[in-house]
Amino acid sequence: MTARKPTMADVARYAGVSLKTVSRVVNREPHVSAEVQLKVRAAIGALGFRRNEAAARLARGATMLTIGLVMENISNEFYSRLAKAVEAAAAEHEALVVFGSYEERPERERMLVESMYARGVDSLIVVPSSGDHAWLARHTGLTTVFVDRLPPGQDSDVVLLDDLKGGRLATEHLRAHGHRRIALISDDVRLNSVHDRATGYRQALGEPDERLVVHGVFDPWRVSQEVTRLLDLADPPTAFFATNNRAAIGILQALRERRERPAYVGFDDFALAEVFNPGVSVVRYDIDRIARSAVGLLLDPSGRPRRVTVPVELVVRGSGERGPCP
């Protein structure tokens, strides 16, 4: 028999306050003393009460819950797929999604969040930049779930990939095919996702040649330049691990003009990965699961931060299975 979910009436009885007081605390309304708020929140935590966010919004007279989605760059396939998946997950709750991209500019990220908040959007899913996010705390009543990355110092709900395992899987796979000089191509290592993928690479490789470790490249053309530079070394890498789909595309661009055929594995799948010959081996994950988890956390708020880790898998297509050239 399934246990009955606690209600606001249960919380009111437990805390020794009125139902209206509990409603005010749950809905973040003013005119409740700090002492009473603490008492009600303690009761909420003790009973495990969860508000149905969509139902609460409808009860206040709104016709539809609106979720804001703030991402790095909608032109990147990862973000366009994420936007589509979040829209589908939100539609299951009769919620609307509005989104914007900040294109690696923290100041634009803040502008987007504040603009959405000013227009009444108080439920946000954010793929955060590497900038400081202390300013979020000033927006009372704003519910935020972070996706893919966790800003330092933020105690918020977050949906992450198992990035450490992904970096380790990719590098171990290349090692299993005889590679020891494996280059790492990544973007902003200040982001926890990039840092963890690089850490997985280091764990699998032991002590990499630091000359083969490249951080801070964001665009495919820059990646292509770095790959060319590395392949021109006296003792070049025989394999590459790319920590995102843009880096994998940059490797492909560089190899068009080269006789060398190093192995490579990317992190993030992309539409044409199976079209190339050989296909691009990648670390893949379920982006629909990311979206459903984020929307679920957003619509079921808690008094304590929660973390969901989405598993990853290695997809073998040919590019990571080449051995070192003699």
Side-chain angles (χ1 to χ4, degrees):
M1 183 176 177
T2 304
R4 181 178 67 87
K5 291 183 178 181
T7 65
M8 282 200 288
D10 296 325
V11 173
R13 282 191 293 271
Y14 191 98
V17 299
S18 70
L19 181 60
K20 180 61 178 175
T21 298
V22 174
S23 177
R24 283 175 174 162
V25 173
V26 168
N27 290 298
R28 306 180 185 91
E29 296 177 9
H31 312 306
V32 181
S33 70
E35 180 182 357
V36 171
Q37 285 191 45
L38 287 173
K39 185 185 295 186
V40 172
R41 295 193 186 284
I44 287 172
L47 296 176
F49 170 76
R50 298 288 183 270
R51 179 176 75 160
N52 184 320
E53 189 70 24
R57 180 65 65 94
L58 291 171
R60 293 198 297 270
T63 58
M64 181 174 285
L65 172 66
T66 302
I67 296 172
L69 174 60
V70 177
M71 325 171 269
E72 182 185 309
N73 193 333
I74 192 65
S75 66
N76 184 317
E77 186 175 338
F78 168 78
Y79 296 109
S80 59
R81 290 170 57 215
L82 178 64
K84 181 179 179 181
V86 168
E87 281 190 315
E92 295 177 4
H93 300 274
E94 299 184 348
L96 177 70
V97 178
V98 296
F99 57 83
S101 54
Y102 54 84
E103 299 175 349
E104 300 169 6
R105 290 182 288 166
E107 69 280 4
R108 178 170 169 80
E109 174 195 20
R110 180 171 179 173
M111 182 273 291
L112 283 169
V113 169
E114 293 184 339
S115 178
M116 289 181 182
Y117 182 71
R119 288 164 172 77
V121 179
D122 57 8
S123 300
L124 292 177
I125 296 173
V126 179
V127 182
S129 70
S130 60
D132 177 66
H133 287 74
W135 50 271
L136 273 172
R138 293 197 289 272
H139 297 292
T140 58
L142 181 63
T143 303
T144 304
V145 175
F146 293 109
V147 168
D148 188 46
R149 310 165 180 171
L150 179 62
Q154 291 292 311
D155 291 327
S156 301
D157 291 338
V158 60
V159 180
L160 299 174
L161 297 172
D162 195 344
D163 294 298
L164 184 69
K165 181 179 179 181
R168 193 167 59 242
L169 275 176
T171 310
E172 287 175 347
H173 185 69
L174 292 168
R175 289 203 64 178
H177 285 82
H179 298 280
R180 295 298 177 267
R181 292 186 60 73
I182 303 172
L184 173 73
I185 308 292
S186 71
D187 49 11
D188 192 345
V189 76
R190 293 174 298 174
L191 299 169
N192 71 291
S193 56
V194 178
H195 176 271
D196 288 352
R197 293 170 197 179
T199 299
Y201 157 85
R202 292 180 181 279
Q203 288 179 352
L205 202 53
E207 296 184 4
D209 183 343
E210 293 300 327
R211 293 176 302 169
L212 305 183
V213 176
V214 177
H215 293 305
V217 288
F218 300 90
D219 299 309
W221 70 269
R222 281 285 313 280
V223 172
S224 178
Q225 290 180 326
E226 289 296 322
V227 170
T228 298
R229 179 183 65 81
L230 291 172
L231 290 176
D232 286 338
L233 293 174
D235 191 6
T238 62
F240 291 83
F241 168 45
T243 62
N244 59 54
N245 55 9
R246 290 170 297 185
I249 292 169
I251 291 173
L252 286 164
Q253 289 178 345
L255 296 183
R256 286 184 309 178
E257 309 299 329
R258 308 287 305 199
R259 290 182 300 173
E260 303 96 323
R261 283 295 175 260
Y264 54 94
V265 176
F267 198 113
D268 296 331
D269 210 353
F270 56 99
L272 297 179
E274 294 182 287
V275 173
F276 294 96
N277 184 21
V280 182
S281 297
V282 298
V283 175
R284 186 173 65 185
Y285 43 84
D286 184 350
I287 202 158
D288 292 329
R289 184 168 177 177
I290 296 173
R292 289 194 304 271
S293 297
V295 172
L297 291 176
L298 200 62
L299 298 183
D300 186 21
S302 171
R304 59 188 64 179
R306 296 161 292 178
R307 176 174 297 200
V308 175
T309 302
V310 175
V312 299
E313 63 176 345
L314 181 70
V315 180
V316 173
R317 295 192 178 116
S319 70
E321 294 66 66
R322 296 166 166 162
C325 295

